[in-house]
Amino acid sequence: MKLKKAFKIIIGIVIFITLPSLLLYGFAYFKYNEELPQGQTGIEADALATKMQNALNINAFNNTKYIEFTALNRRHYEWEKSKNICKIYWKDFKVELNLKNLDSSSAYIHSFKVTGDQKGKLYKKAIKYFNKDMFWLTAPYKAFEKGVERRIVKTKNNTDALLITHPKEDNTPIKTYLWILDSYGKPTAFKMWDSSLLINGMEASWSDWITTKSGAQLPVFHKLFLFGIEFKNIIGTP
């Protein structure tokens, strides 16, 4: 009898924990899930991408030599953009990534240099963090990178939106984003299609911007469903 009662309690706890999550997922799926829109490549798509980048002062971003910021109150970055070197700090770890030559990178725990397998694991984690956080900070500036595909899409409001597809790299899947732009071409939000997402077409805001000392514009906050992605202590210098 005691075993049966314990089993019922466990089942009750599982249902109590999982049911709200399932209901929330179901609500979000039926409200937000969208098919990937179709669009046209060509001169108009490239012109819209150029308009977006100009609205954010792409020249100032390209001439920015140093960017520093804190992501989600968890990771701090000191990116010497002109040298392709980035120091990443989280918990008790520090990794100095050489983005051109990973072998010349270094990793530390409590200021002690790490070697061997532990070093390799920290490198992989640092690269993962760098790619993820830098994307949320600088994605609009990546529209003309190698392998990126640009398409122009008509929205329900009969306005032009920019569909950007980033190529598969290493273990990352192909990712597609539909950029929603204001009349000046500045991003206000994007929708996401990614095989790692449970819901396609989820929207994240790109409406909170600051202008750095270098003139580049960078976001300080993204709203994503019930969650937020926040950047603090942003510095950008020429």
PDB file of all heavy atoms in Angstrom, residues 174-201:
ATOM      1  N   ILE A 174      20.869  24.975 -40.724  1.00  0.00           N
ATOM      2  CA  ILE A 174      20.502  26.145 -41.513  1.00  0.00           C
ATOM      3  C   ILE A 174      19.454  26.928 -40.728  1.00  0.00           C
ATOM      4  O   ILE A 174      18.508  26.353 -40.192  1.00  0.00           O
ATOM      5  CB  ILE A 174      19.943  25.710 -42.885  1.00  0.00           C
ATOM      6  CG1 ILE A 174      21.041  25.015 -43.703  1.00  0.00           C
ATOM      7  CG2 ILE A 174      19.403  26.913 -43.645  1.00  0.00           C
ATOM      8  CD1 ILE A 174      20.538  24.409 -44.991  1.00  0.00           C
ATOM      9  N   LYS A 175      19.637  28.241 -40.661  1.00  0.00           N
ATOM     10  CA  LYS A 175      18.716  29.083 -39.903  1.00  0.00           C
ATOM     11  C   LYS A 175      18.188  30.204 -40.793  1.00  0.00           C
ATOM     12  O   LYS A 175      18.952  30.813 -41.542  1.00  0.00           O
ATOM     13  CB  LYS A 175      19.416  29.673 -38.678  1.00  0.00           C
ATOM     14  CG  LYS A 175      19.913  28.615 -37.696  1.00  0.00           C
ATOM     15  CD  LYS A 175      20.617  29.237 -36.510  1.00  0.00           C
ATOM     16  CE  LYS A 175      21.112  28.164 -35.544  1.00  0.00           C
ATOM     17  NZ  LYS A 175      21.797  28.750 -34.358  1.00  0.00           N
ATOM     18  N   THR A 176      16.887  30.467 -40.685  1.00  0.00           N
ATOM     19  CA  THR A 176      16.252  31.493 -41.499  1.00  0.00           C
ATOM     20  C   THR A 176      15.505  32.471 -40.597  1.00  0.00           C
ATOM     21  O   THR A 176      14.829  32.057 -39.650  1.00  0.00           O
ATOM     22  CB  THR A 176      15.281  30.873 -42.517  1.00  0.00           C
ATOM     23  OG1 THR A 176      15.999  29.967 -43.367  1.00  0.00           O
ATOM     24  CG2 THR A 176      14.629  31.940 -43.378  1.00  0.00           C
ATOM     25  N   TYR A 177      15.636  33.763 -40.917  1.00  0.00           N
ATOM     26  CA  TYR A 177      15.012  34.810 -40.115  1.00  0.00           C
ATOM     27  C   TYR A 177      14.288  35.784 -41.034  1.00  0.00           C
ATOM     28  O   TYR A 177      14.835  36.210 -42.054  1.00  0.00           O
ATOM     29  CB  TYR A 177      16.063  35.570 -39.296  1.00  0.00           C
ATOM     30  CG  TYR A 177      16.885  34.658 -38.416  1.00  0.00           C
ATOM     31  CD1 TYR A 177      18.058  34.068 -38.894  1.00  0.00           C
ATOM     32  CD2 TYR A 177      16.484  34.367 -37.114  1.00  0.00           C
ATOM     33  CE1 TYR A 177      18.806  33.220 -38.096  1.00  0.00           C
ATOM     34  CE2 TYR A 177      17.230  33.521 -36.313  1.00  0.00           C
ATOM     35  CZ  TYR A 177      18.384  32.949 -36.811  1.00  0.00           C
ATOM     36  OH  TYR A 177      19.123  32.095 -36.025  1.00  0.00           O
ATOM     37  N   LEU A 178      13.074  36.139 -40.668  1.00  0.00           N
ATOM     38  CA  LEU A 178      12.308  37.141 -41.415  1.00  0.00           C
ATOM     39  C   LEU A 178      12.380  38.455 -40.640  1.00  0.00           C
ATOM     40  O   LEU A 178      11.774  38.601 -39.570  1.00  0.00           O
ATOM     41  CB  LEU A 178      10.858  36.706 -41.587  1.00  0.00           C
ATOM     42  CG  LEU A 178       9.988  37.672 -42.400  1.00  0.00           C
ATOM     43  CD1 LEU A 178      10.446  37.703 -43.861  1.00  0.00           C
ATOM     44  CD2 LEU A 178       8.508  37.279 -42.321  1.00  0.00           C
ATOM     45  N   TRP A 179      13.123  39.404 -41.175  1.00  0.00           N
ATOM     46  CA  TRP A 179      13.319  40.691 -40.515  1.00  0.00           C
ATOM     47  C   TRP A 179      12.159  41.623 -40.819  1.00  0.00           C
ATOM     48  O   TRP A 179      11.846  41.889 -41.978  1.00  0.00           O
ATOM     49  CB  TRP A 179      14.630  41.325 -40.974  1.00  0.00           C
ATOM     50  CG  TRP A 179      15.846  40.630 -40.442  1.00  0.00           C
ATOM     51  CD1 TRP A 179      16.562  39.629 -41.050  1.00  0.00           C
ATOM     52  CD2 TRP A 179      16.473  40.868 -39.181  1.00  0.00           C
ATOM     53  NE1 TRP A 179      17.598  39.237 -40.243  1.00  0.00           N
ATOM     54  CE2 TRP A 179      17.573  39.983 -39.086  1.00  0.00           C
ATOM     55  CE3 TRP A 179      16.219  41.741 -38.123  1.00  0.00           C
ATOM     56  CZ2 TRP A 179      18.413  39.942 -37.979  1.00  0.00           C
ATOM     57  CZ3 TRP A 179      17.054  41.709 -37.018  1.00  0.00           C
ATOM     58  CH2 TRP A 179      18.133  40.818 -36.955  1.00  0.00           C
ATOM     59  N   ILE A 180      11.531  42.142 -39.756  1.00  0.00           N
ATOM     60  CA  ILE A 180      10.473  43.137 -39.873  1.00  0.00           C
ATOM     61  C   ILE A 180      11.123  44.503 -39.700  1.00  0.00           C
ATOM     62  O   ILE A 180      11.787  44.759 -38.686  1.00  0.00           O
ATOM     63  CB  ILE A 180       9.381  42.924 -38.802  1.00  0.00           C
ATOM     64  CG1 ILE A 180       8.935  41.445 -38.776  1.00  0.00           C
ATOM     65  CG2 ILE A 180       8.211  43.858 -39.051  1.00  0.00           C
ATOM     66  CD1 ILE A 180       8.387  40.928 -40.076  1.00  0.00           C
ATOM     67  N   LEU A 181      10.932  45.389 -40.671  1.00  0.00           N
ATOM     68  CA  LEU A 181      11.642  46.666 -40.696  1.00  0.00           C
ATOM     69  C   LEU A 181      10.664  47.835 -40.641  1.00  0.00           C
ATOM     70  O   LEU A 181       9.522  47.727 -41.101  1.00  0.00           O
ATOM     71  CB  LEU A 181      12.478  46.766 -41.977  1.00  0.00           C
ATOM     72  CG  LEU A 181      13.360  45.554 -42.317  1.00  0.00           C
ATOM     73  CD1 LEU A 181      13.997  45.749 -43.692  1.00  0.00           C
ATOM     74  CD2 LEU A 181      14.429  45.336 -41.259  1.00  0.00           C
ATOM     75  N   ASP A 182      11.122  48.960 -40.086  1.00  0.00           N
ATOM     76  CA  ASP A 182      10.297  50.163 -40.126  1.00  0.00           C
ATOM     77  C   ASP A 182      10.497  50.865 -41.466  1.00  0.00           C
ATOM     78  O   ASP A 182      11.200  50.358 -42.351  1.00  0.00           O
ATOM     79  CB  ASP A 182      10.584  51.081 -38.931  1.00  0.00           C
ATOM     80  CG  ASP A 182      12.002  51.667 -38.943  1.00  0.00           C
ATOM     81  OD1 ASP A 182      12.675  51.623 -39.996  1.00  0.00           O
ATOM     82  OD2 ASP A 182      12.432  52.170 -37.887  1.00  0.00           O
ATOM     83  N   SER A 183       9.896  52.024 -41.626  1.00  0.00           N
ATOM     84  CA  SER A 183       9.933  52.699 -42.926  1.00  0.00           C
ATOM     85  C   SER A 183      11.343  53.141 -43.312  1.00  0.00           C
ATOM     86  O   SER A 183      11.618  53.383 -44.497  1.00  0.00           O
ATOM     87  CB  SER A 183       8.999  53.915 -42.911  1.00  0.00           C
ATOM     88  OG  SER A 183       9.381  54.833 -41.888  1.00  0.00           O
ATOM     89  N   TYR A 184      12.242  53.247 -42.322  1.00  0.00           N
ATOM     90  CA  TYR A 184      13.615  53.632 -42.602  1.00  0.00           C
ATOM     91  C   TYR A 184      14.516  52.420 -42.857  1.00  0.00           C
ATOM     92  O   TYR A 184      15.690  52.581 -43.194  1.00  0.00           O
ATOM     93  CB  TYR A 184      14.187  54.440 -41.431  1.00  0.00           C
ATOM     94  CG  TYR A 184      13.426  55.717 -41.161  1.00  0.00           C
ATOM     95  CD1 TYR A 184      12.484  55.774 -40.137  1.00  0.00           C
ATOM     96  CD2 TYR A 184      13.634  56.848 -41.935  1.00  0.00           C
ATOM     97  CE1 TYR A 184      11.781  56.954 -39.888  1.00  0.00           C
ATOM     98  CE2 TYR A 184      12.930  58.021 -41.693  1.00  0.00           C
ATOM     99  CZ  TYR A 184      12.001  58.067 -40.671  1.00  0.00           C
ATOM    100  OH  TYR A 184      11.307  59.219 -40.431  1.00  0.00           O
ATOM    101  N   GLY A 185      13.972  51.231 -42.669  1.00  0.00           N
ATOM    102  CA  GLY A 185      14.751  50.017 -42.859  1.00  0.00           C
ATOM    103  C   GLY A 185      15.356  49.472 -41.585  1.00  0.00           C
ATOM    104  O   GLY A 185      16.065  48.462 -41.606  1.00  0.00           O
ATOM    105  N   LYS A 186      15.077  50.113 -40.467  1.00  0.00           N
ATOM    106  CA  LYS A 186      15.639  49.665 -39.190  1.00  0.00           C
ATOM    107  C   LYS A 186      14.835  48.496 -38.638  1.00  0.00           C
ATOM    108  O   LYS A 186      13.607  48.531 -38.616  1.00  0.00           O
ATOM    109  CB  LYS A 186      15.632  50.821 -38.183  1.00  0.00           C
ATOM    110  CG  LYS A 186      16.450  50.559 -36.939  1.00  0.00           C
ATOM    111  CD  LYS A 186      16.579  51.831 -36.102  1.00  0.00           C
ATOM    112  CE  LYS A 186      17.466  51.619 -34.894  1.00  0.00           C
ATOM    113  NZ  LYS A 186      17.655  52.867 -34.115  1.00  0.00           N
ATOM    114  N   PRO A 187      15.500  47.439 -38.177  1.00  0.00           N
ATOM    115  CA  PRO A 187      14.773  46.274 -37.655  1.00  0.00           C
ATOM    116  C   PRO A 187      13.969  46.611 -36.400  1.00  0.00           C
ATOM    117  O   PRO A 187      14.422  47.366 -35.535  1.00  0.00           O
ATOM    118  CB  PRO A 187      15.896  45.287 -37.310  1.00  0.00           C
ATOM    119  CG  PRO A 187      17.072  45.725 -38.118  1.00  0.00           C
ATOM    120  CD  PRO A 187      16.956  47.208 -38.204  1.00  0.00           C
ATOM    121  N   THR A 188      12.771  46.060 -36.336  1.00  0.00           N
ATOM    122  CA  THR A 188      11.953  46.157 -35.127  1.00  0.00           C
ATOM    123  C   THR A 188      11.717  44.779 -34.505  1.00  0.00           C
ATOM    124  O   THR A 188      11.440  44.673 -33.317  1.00  0.00           O
ATOM    125  CB  THR A 188      10.590  46.798 -35.431  1.00  0.00           C
ATOM    126  OG1 THR A 188       9.893  46.002 -36.400  1.00  0.00           O
ATOM    127  CG2 THR A 188      10.769  48.212 -35.974  1.00  0.00           C
ATOM    128  N   ALA A 189      11.856  43.719 -35.328  1.00  0.00           N
ATOM    129  CA  ALA A 189      11.654  42.348 -34.852  1.00  0.00           C
ATOM    130  C   ALA A 189      12.101  41.391 -35.939  1.00  0.00           C
ATOM    131  O   ALA A 189      12.333  41.781 -37.090  1.00  0.00           O
ATOM    132  CB  ALA A 189      10.182  42.109 -34.517  1.00  0.00           C
ATOM    133  N   PHE A 190      12.258  40.103 -35.563  1.00  0.00           N
ATOM    134  CA  PHE A 190      12.362  39.075 -36.590  1.00  0.00           C
ATOM    135  C   PHE A 190      11.646  37.811 -36.142  1.00  0.00           C
ATOM    136  O   PHE A 190      11.380  37.612 -34.963  1.00  0.00           O
ATOM    137  CB  PHE A 190      13.805  38.796 -37.032  1.00  0.00           C
ATOM    138  CG  PHE A 190      14.732  38.100 -36.063  1.00  0.00           C
ATOM    139  CD1 PHE A 190      14.280  37.400 -34.955  1.00  0.00           C
ATOM    140  CD2 PHE A 190      16.114  38.116 -36.285  1.00  0.00           C
ATOM    141  CE1 PHE A 190      15.144  36.734 -34.095  1.00  0.00           C
ATOM    142  CE2 PHE A 190      16.985  37.462 -35.430  1.00  0.00           C
ATOM    143  CZ  PHE A 190      16.491  36.770 -34.333  1.00  0.00           C
ATOM    144  N   LYS A 191      11.283  36.981 -37.129  1.00  0.00           N
ATOM    145  CA  LYS A 191      10.691  35.680 -36.877  1.00  0.00           C
ATOM    146  C   LYS A 191      11.711  34.620 -37.260  1.00  0.00           C
ATOM    147  O   LYS A 191      12.480  34.799 -38.208  1.00  0.00           O
ATOM    148  CB  LYS A 191       9.392  35.509 -37.665  1.00  0.00           C
ATOM    149  CG  LYS A 191       8.297  36.481 -37.235  1.00  0.00           C
ATOM    150  CD  LYS A 191       6.993  36.233 -37.982  1.00  0.00           C
ATOM    151  CE  LYS A 191       5.891  37.158 -37.489  1.00  0.00           C
ATOM    152  NZ  LYS A 191       4.602  36.893 -38.176  1.00  0.00           N
ATOM    153  N   MET A 192      11.692  33.488 -36.535  1.00  0.00           N
ATOM    154  CA  MET A 192      12.765  32.507 -36.645  1.00  0.00           C
ATOM    155  C   MET A 192      12.269  31.153 -37.144  1.00  0.00           C
ATOM    156  O   MET A 192      11.235  30.660 -36.686  1.00  0.00           O
ATOM    157  CB  MET A 192      13.433  32.325 -35.271  1.00  0.00           C
ATOM    158  CG  MET A 192      14.017  33.589 -34.690  1.00  0.00           C
ATOM    159  SD  MET A 192      14.635  33.343 -32.995  1.00  0.00           S
ATOM    160  CE  MET A 192      13.090  33.429 -32.098  1.00  0.00           C
ATOM    161  N   TRP A 193      13.044  30.581 -38.059  1.00  0.00           N
ATOM    162  CA  TRP A 193      12.832  29.199 -38.506  1.00  0.00           C
ATOM    163  C   TRP A 193      14.157  28.465 -38.343  1.00  0.00           C
ATOM    164  O   TRP A 193      15.163  28.819 -38.956  1.00  0.00           O
ATOM    165  CB  TRP A 193      12.379  29.160 -39.968  1.00  0.00           C
ATOM    166  CG  TRP A 193      10.948  29.541 -40.128  1.00  0.00           C
ATOM    167  CD1 TRP A 193       9.871  28.711 -40.212  1.00  0.00           C
ATOM    168  CD2 TRP A 193      10.428  30.877 -40.220  1.00  0.00           C
ATOM    169  NE1 TRP A 193       8.722  29.440 -40.338  1.00  0.00           N
ATOM    170  CE2 TRP A 193       9.026  30.771 -40.346  1.00  0.00           C
ATOM    171  CE3 TRP A 193      11.011  32.143 -40.198  1.00  0.00           C
ATOM    172  CZ2 TRP A 193       8.205  31.882 -40.456  1.00  0.00           C
ATOM    173  CZ3 TRP A 193      10.196  33.259 -40.301  1.00  0.00           C
ATOM    174  CH2 TRP A 193       8.814  33.124 -40.437  1.00  0.00           C
ATOM    175  N   ASP A 194      14.143  27.455 -37.489  1.00  0.00           N
ATOM    176  CA  ASP A 194      15.379  26.781 -37.092  1.00  0.00           C
ATOM    177  C   ASP A 194      14.983  25.386 -36.629  1.00  0.00           C
ATOM    178  O   ASP A 194      14.054  25.225 -35.830  1.00  0.00           O
ATOM    179  CB  ASP A 194      16.030  27.585 -35.962  1.00  0.00           C
ATOM    180  CG  ASP A 194      17.316  26.981 -35.448  1.00  0.00           C
ATOM    181  OD1 ASP A 194      17.556  25.790 -35.678  1.00  0.00           O
ATOM    182  OD2 ASP A 194      18.082  27.702 -34.794  1.00  0.00           O
ATOM    183  N   SER A 195      15.665  24.356 -37.113  1.00  0.00           N
ATOM    184  CA  SER A 195      15.310  22.980 -36.763  1.00  0.00           C
ATOM    185  C   SER A 195      15.444  22.697 -35.271  1.00  0.00           C
ATOM    186  O   SER A 195      14.895  21.715 -34.772  1.00  0.00           O
ATOM    187  CB  SER A 195      16.171  21.994 -37.559  1.00  0.00           C
ATOM    188  OG  SER A 195      17.539  22.191 -37.266  1.00  0.00           O
ATOM    189  N   SER A 196      16.169  23.550 -34.555  1.00  0.00           N
ATOM    190  CA  SER A 196      16.315  23.340 -33.113  1.00  0.00           C
ATOM    191  C   SER A 196      15.144  23.927 -32.319  1.00  0.00           C
ATOM    192  O   SER A 196      15.029  23.711 -31.118  1.00  0.00           O
ATOM    193  CB  SER A 196      17.620  23.965 -32.616  1.00  0.00           C
ATOM    194  OG  SER A 196      17.595  25.370 -32.750  1.00  0.00           O
ATOM    195  N   LEU A 197      14.264  24.686 -33.015  1.00  0.00           N
ATOM    196  CA  LEU A 197      13.119  25.301 -32.343  1.00  0.00           C
ATOM    197  C   LEU A 197      11.906  24.379 -32.386  1.00  0.00           C
ATOM    198  O   LEU A 197      11.671  23.685 -33.377  1.00  0.00           O
ATOM    199  CB  LEU A 197      12.759  26.624 -33.021  1.00  0.00           C
ATOM    200  CG  LEU A 197      13.807  27.741 -32.964  1.00  0.00           C
ATOM    201  CD1 LEU A 197      13.346  28.927 -33.804  1.00  0.00           C
ATOM    202  CD2 LEU A 197      14.049  28.176 -31.525  1.00  0.00           C
ATOM    203  N   LEU A 198      11.117  24.388 -31.316  1.00  0.00           N
ATOM    204  CA  LEU A 198       9.885  23.610 -31.285  1.00  0.00           C
ATOM    205  C   LEU A 198       8.765  24.308 -32.036  1.00  0.00           C
ATOM    206  O   LEU A 198       7.824  23.670 -32.500  1.00  0.00           O
ATOM    207  CB  LEU A 198       9.453  23.368 -29.827  1.00  0.00           C
ATOM    208  CG  LEU A 198      10.384  22.483 -28.985  1.00  0.00           C
ATOM    209  CD1 LEU A 198       9.914  22.452 -27.534  1.00  0.00           C
ATOM    210  CD2 LEU A 198      10.445  21.074 -29.554  1.00  0.00           C
ATOM    211  N   ILE A 199       8.864  25.624 -32.126  1.00  0.00           N
ATOM    212  CA  ILE A 199       7.821  26.410 -32.788  1.00  0.00           C
ATOM    213  C   ILE A 199       8.475  27.270 -33.869  1.00  0.00           C
ATOM    214  O   ILE A 199       9.354  28.081 -33.579  1.00  0.00           O
ATOM    215  CB  ILE A 199       7.083  27.303 -31.778  1.00  0.00           C
ATOM    216  CG1 ILE A 199       6.401  26.446 -30.705  1.00  0.00           C
ATOM    217  CG2 ILE A 199       6.049  28.183 -32.492  1.00  0.00           C
ATOM    218  CD1 ILE A 199       5.806  27.232 -29.570  1.00  0.00           C
ATOM    219  N   ASN A 200       8.059  27.102 -35.114  1.00  0.00           N
ATOM    220  CA  ASN A 200       8.587  27.893 -36.210  1.00  0.00           C
ATOM    221  C   ASN A 200       7.846  29.216 -36.319  1.00  0.00           C
ATOM    222  O   ASN A 200       6.635  29.281 -36.118  1.00  0.00           O
ATOM    223  CB  ASN A 200       8.476  27.127 -37.527  1.00  0.00           C
ATOM    224  CG  ASN A 200       9.509  26.025 -37.629  1.00  0.00           C
ATOM    225  OD1 ASN A 200      10.673  26.232 -37.291  1.00  0.00           O
ATOM    226  ND2 ASN A 200       9.098  24.856 -38.083  1.00  0.00           N
ATOM    227  N   GLY A 201       8.577  30.266 -36.643  1.00  0.00           N
ATOM    228  CA  GLY A 201       7.965  31.573 -36.783  1.00  0.00           C
ATOM    229  C   GLY A 201       7.874  32.359 -35.490  1.00  0.00           C
ATOM    230  O   GLY A 201       7.217  33.400 -35.448  1.00  0.00           O
TER     231      GLY A 201
END
